[in-house]
Amino acid sequence: MPPAYPDIVRTDEDRDRFGRLYDDLVRVLGLSPAEALLNAATQFELGFDVRGPFEKRKRRNKVAMQTAHDRREEGAEPVPFDLEPPG
């Protein structure tokens, strides 16, 4: 959790997004809290969000799974590869 929020962070959703950016910079990259605040503010203004790429990947997987399911119901050929991740 960041020690403070810049003025550009106004809503709870903004706080969540800013917190994810700050947390990523501190825990993953190892920046100091002051450096992380400055960098998170810049990234926030540019529209970055740490969670975005993961949600898109999850959505693509859901769409691919639904498409494969629909094809099986229509009697089409099975997909030549496994859509489930290993493990």
Side-chain angles (χ1 to χ4, degrees):
M1 193 63 122
Y5 294 100
D7 293 337
I8 56 175
V9 178
R10 294 186 180 106
T11 65
D12 287 340
E13 186 177 314
D14 288 351
R15 284 185 186 84
D16 289 344
R17 185 165 66 95
F18 188 84
R20 287 191 299 270
L21 291 167
Y22 176 83
D23 186 59
D24 189 57
L25 292 168
V26 171
R27 288 193 315 137
V28 177
L29 296 180
L31 295 181
S32 71
E35 290 176 312
L37 274 176
L38 291 174
N39 284 294
T42 301
Q43 291 180 10
F44 182 88
E45 287 182 308
L46 294 173
F48 285 89
D49 191 348
V50 173
R51 190 172 57 180
F54 299 113
E55 288 180 347
K56 288 178 184 172
R57 185 181 317 150
K58 188 185 282 187
R59 165 111 172 92
R60 272 193 300 248
N61 189 27
K62 285 181 183 178
V63 170
M65 294 295 291
Q66 182 62 40
T67 302
H69 179 73
D70 291 347
R71 285 185 182 156
R72 276 185 250 140
E73 286 180 357
E74 294 172 2
E77 292 182 27
V79 179
F81 53 87
D82 188 12
L83 293 173
E84 290 294 319

